[in-house]
Amino acid sequence: MQKYFFTTIIVVLIMVTFAILNARVVEINFGFKSINISLALTIFIVFAIGALVSYILSISGIYKLKKENKNLKKKNSELASEINTLNSTATDKENSTESSTDDVLDERG
């Protein structure tokens, strides 16, 4: 908790220093309208838009990975079940072979 608090304080101090150092006003021209805004605010807005676009684009990748993970877990469960079935079948055959061998040895003995 303290680590998070100190990290937040450091980030806020860096942002405030950045805003003070870049307080000059710049003109942004959209083609149909021009606005005057602080350079620091402009950089923060562009950064926020970039982060939002990055998040939106990553959502589809995350969804695909979750779906693949679900399918792999299902396949893993099916294969584990198959392994258990094969192990029990092998154990049953081994037990029946041992009892057959014992019967043959009893008849000879």
Side-chain angles (χ1 to χ4, degrees):
M1 185 68 172
Q2 283 185 330
K3 189 175 184 180
Y4 175 77
F5 177 74
F6 288 121
T7 304
T8 303
I9 294 294
I10 291 171
V11 169
V12 167
L13 288 175
I14 291 170
M15 289 173 59
V16 168
T17 304
F18 179 80
I20 291 170
L21 293 174
N22 294 293
R24 67 179 173 186
V25 176
V26 293
E27 180 181 1
I28 299 178
N29 188 345
F30 292 105
F32 58 89
K33 180 167 172 82
S34 294
I35 60 170
N36 292 324
I37 191 170
S38 162
L39 177 61
L41 185 58
T42 303
I43 292 171
F44 286 136
I45 290 171
V46 169
F47 175 78
I49 291 170
L52 182 65
V53 168
S54 175
Y55 175 74
I56 290 170
L57 293 176
S58 69
I59 287 175
S60 66
I62 291 170
Y63 176 74
K64 287 177 186 176
L65 288 174
K66 283 184 178 182
K67 185 176 180 181
E68 182 181 1
N69 190 24
K70 182 180 176 183
N71 290 338
L72 289 173
K73 283 183 179 180
K74 182 179 177 184
K75 186 171 184 174
N76 187 24
S77 176
E78 290 171 357
L79 291 173
S81 176
E82 185 177 342
I83 287 171
N84 289 336
T85 303
L86 291 173
N87 282 338
S88 66
T89 304
T91 303
D92 290 345
K93 285 184 179 180
E94 186 177 293
N95 287 340
S96 67
T97 305
E98 286 177 5
S99 66
S100 297
T101 306
D102 288 344
D103 290 343
V104 170
L105 290 176
D106 286 341
E107 290 174 5
R108 292 183 182 175

